[in-house]
Amino acid sequence: MDLVYSRNRSRSERSADMVNGARATRQQRMLESIDLKLLLSLEALLEHRNVTHAARHMGVSQPSMSRSLTKLRGIFNDDLVVRGSSSLVPTPQAECLVKILPPILNAIRAMMDNNCAQGGWRSKATMVMPDHQALILLPALLPLLREHAPNLDIVTDPLLAGALRRLEQGEIHLAIGQIDAAPLGYLRRTLYADRFACLLRQDHPALAREWTIDSFATLHHAAIASDSKDGFGRVHDELVKLDVLDRDPVLVSNILTAAAAVAASDLVLIVPRRVATRIAALLPLAIVDPPVELTPYEVALIWHERCHRDPEHRWLRHEITAAASKTELMQTSQSGRAIAQAPF
């Protein structure tokens, strides 16, 4: 009995497979025989219920629209519309198409629209940037986005590790940091250049003495710990490389914690001058130029080529660049070399 059941079930499954295969073959042939213009003609016919009016809507002649209707009847194996007392009357199959065709065509129109309106983002954009860059850029960027893209949520991630891979895989949209050159498949645009400055508490004993490289070397330094080895986040590499330092700096995870520690101790912190200016407005800290020449600090916007031509992504890059231009405070850095810019 089980064997008979198995044979009958197998026969039933083979029959279902044949039916499904025939249906799939018929659908494939229908897709191959139809084009987008025919679907647009069908949309016009179902909307206007008149061949002449539908032809005028499509900008074609009445005979051309009649030929399209003939082709559509053959493809769907249905009359679709028939003559009524005052207009064409849809068949039951056409009434079904009236419900499903407009959303399909609207989805195709949206897919083909490469001119998204500015501020069209309606979800979120994730940007990797160190917390000291967020301190500089976000106060200028957020008002712009609030005005032009109120539905866009900005998520900042301070962890620079693996930023290149995450850009490629679409886990993040943009990265802001230091990178010497954009690797193959990535693009960069300089946001601004800056020079370094020292932060000390306002009553630090070193401020009462001669500020020389020797006195500088005797100070205990704080530094922001870097979490990246792929070219990002090398903001404080110059401090580590200084030969004048006779001991390792105190590594702190973020800029505000480091600044608070400096304000309450004899530590000194080297940061970009824009960052120093912003923090000194919040804490009782003095800003002093370092007694040694440090490599100018340059901040770049980095993205993957997969998003380069996306209109929303391009718009957001433009807004970030506009925000960076508003942060001009004391830009005296000279790079001494030409920087290759990636176009928007």
Side-chain angles (χ1 to χ4, degrees):
M1 182 174 180
D2 291 341
L3 181 60
V4 173
Y5 174 78
S6 178
R7 287 175 177 172
N8 290 339
R9 185 172 180 275
S10 298
R11 198 175 295 119
S12 175
E13 288 177 344
R14 287 197 297 270
S15 177
D17 289 343
M18 291 176 63
V19 171
N20 291 334
R23 183 183 296 113
T25 300
R26 179 174 176 272
Q27 290 175 342
Q28 182 65 29
R29 288 175 178 171
M30 289 180 67
L31 289 173
E32 292 172 352
S33 63
I34 201 168
D35 60 32
L36 184 58
K37 190 173 181 180
L38 278 176
L39 289 179
L40 293 173
S41 297
L42 177 58
E43 180 186 46
L45 285 164
L46 295 177
E47 178 182 353
H48 294 281
R49 311 288 174 88
N50 183 288
V51 173
T52 301
H53 293 169
R56 187 179 299 118
H57 175 81
M58 290 290 295
V60 299
S61 65
Q62 188 272 342
S64 176
M65 181 59 69
S66 296
R67 288 193 293 271
S68 295
L69 177 56
T70 300
K71 291 179 181 179
L72 289 164
R73 284 169 170 168
I75 291 170
F76 288 97
N77 192 29
D78 187 85
D79 287 332
L80 297 177
V81 288
V82 297
R83 293 186 181 279
S85 59
S86 59
S87 64
L88 296 176
V89 180
T91 65
Q93 183 169 350
E95 289 178 342
C96 179
L97 292 173
V98 167
K99 298 177 181 179
I100 66 175
L101 185 59
I104 292 173
L105 291 178
N106 288 337
I108 295 175
R109 291 183 180 107
M111 180 180 68
M112 301 304 295
D113 183 10
N114 289 324
N115 297 310
C116 296
Q118 287 189 354
W121 291 67
R122 291 190 176 274
S123 53
K124 68 177 182 179
T126 302
M127 299 186 293
V128 160
M129 67 174 77
D131 63 333
H132 55 274
Q133 288 305 323
L135 188 67
I136 296 302
L137 286 173
L138 290 185
L141 176 62
L142 293 182
L144 292 176
L145 298 183
R146 184 169 60 248
E147 178 181 358
H148 300 140
N151 296 309
L152 174 62
D153 293 330
I154 293 294
V155 178
T156 60
D157 184 348
L159 300 179
L160 298 171
L164 292 176
R165 173 189 56 80
R166 295 165 70 193
L167 283 170
E168 181 182 52
Q169 296 181 2
E171 297 176 11
I172 58 176
H173 296 96
L174 292 159
I176 296 173
Q178 288 185 291
I179 189 168
D180 293 332
L184 184 65
Y186 298 84
L187 297 101
R188 72 187 293 279
R189 184 172 185 85
T190 300
L191 291 180
Y192 62 84
D194 203 353
R195 58 193 177 95
F196 285 100
C198 298
L199 280 176
L200 306 87
R201 61 184 173 91
Q202 290 180 346
D203 56 349
H204 197 291
L207 297 176
R209 299 193 299 265
E210 185 180 3
W211 186 247
T212 65
I213 191 169
D214 292 331
S215 62
F216 181 73
T218 62
L219 299 177
H220 199 182
H221 290 259
I224 308 303
S226 173
D227 67 336
S228 174
K229 294 183 175 64
D230 62 0
F232 288 79
R234 298 181 296 106
V235 175
H236 296 283
D237 287 358
E238 293 82 358
L239 175 60
V240 177
K241 294 176 182 177
L242 288 177
D243 294 333
V244 297
L245 300 183
D246 58 1
R247 51 182 168 171
D248 293 333
V250 175
L251 294 178
V252 185
S253 61
N254 66 76
I255 188 67
L256 290 180
T257 301
V262 169
S265 69
D266 285 342
L267 290 171
V268 58
L269 176 66
I270 296 181
V271 293
R273 178 164 282 274
R274 298 183 191 211
V275 178
T277 303
R278 180 60 59 86
I279 293 177
L282 304 174
L283 294 170
L285 294 169
I287 303 174
V288 184
D289 288 331
V292 291
E293 186 174 350
L294 300 177
T295 303
Y297 175 83
E298 181 182 281
V299 179
L301 180 66
I302 304 104
W303 64 97
H304 194 270
E305 64 178 356
R306 61 189 292 275
C307 298
H308 182 58
R309 298 186 184 277
D310 180 77
E312 289 185 341
H313 200 279
R314 182 184 303 170
W315 173 83
L316 182 57
R317 297 196 304 264
H318 180 273
E319 294 298 295
I320 293 172
T321 304
S325 68
K326 290 186 176 182
T327 67
E328 295 291 340
L329 298 174
M330 295 176 65
Q331 188 170 353
T332 59
S333 168
Q334 297 294 327
S335 64
R337 57 183 176 86
I339 304 294
Q341 296 277 36
F344 283 119

